[in-house]
Amino acid sequence: MAQDLAHVGVAVMAKQGRPGYTCFRTPYVSDADAAYVAEATSHQTADPDLRLDALLDWTGRAVPGDDADPDDTVAPPSKS
């Protein structure tokens, strides 16, 4: 990855259906604008650990090696 000043604002991504990678340049965004967008969209983020805990609670499972009582763990549903 190029790391000199000529490449500030340049990102690389894989594009679906095309081989290799594509480089693209993003426009300048002021710190104030970036902070505004981050604050305005912060409700769209979630802590992965909390999401996993909620999923495990919902499915009745526990993380292997967790301090949870093994008798509280429910086997995964069988496939019919």
Side-chain angles (χ1 to χ4, degrees):
M1 183 71 187
Q3 295 184 357
D4 60 52
L5 290 178
H7 294 94
V8 171
V10 174
V12 177
M13 68 176 208
K15 185 164 178 164
Q16 196 170 9
R18 292 190 173 193
Y21 296 93
T22 300
C23 292
F24 62 96
R25 185 174 296 278
T26 59
Y28 171 78
V29 177
S30 69
D31 289 345
D33 286 342
Y36 172 78
V37 171
E39 179 65 30
T41 60
S42 64
H43 67 281
Q44 297 174 346
T45 63
D47 182 330
D49 287 336
L50 296 177
R51 300 290 294 173
L52 178 59
D53 288 345
L55 176 64
L56 293 173
D57 288 345
W58 183 71
T59 60
R61 297 182 183 185
V63 175
D66 198 358
D67 291 339
D69 185 347
D71 293 333
D72 291 341
T73 305
V74 176
S78 61
K79 294 182 180 180
S80 312

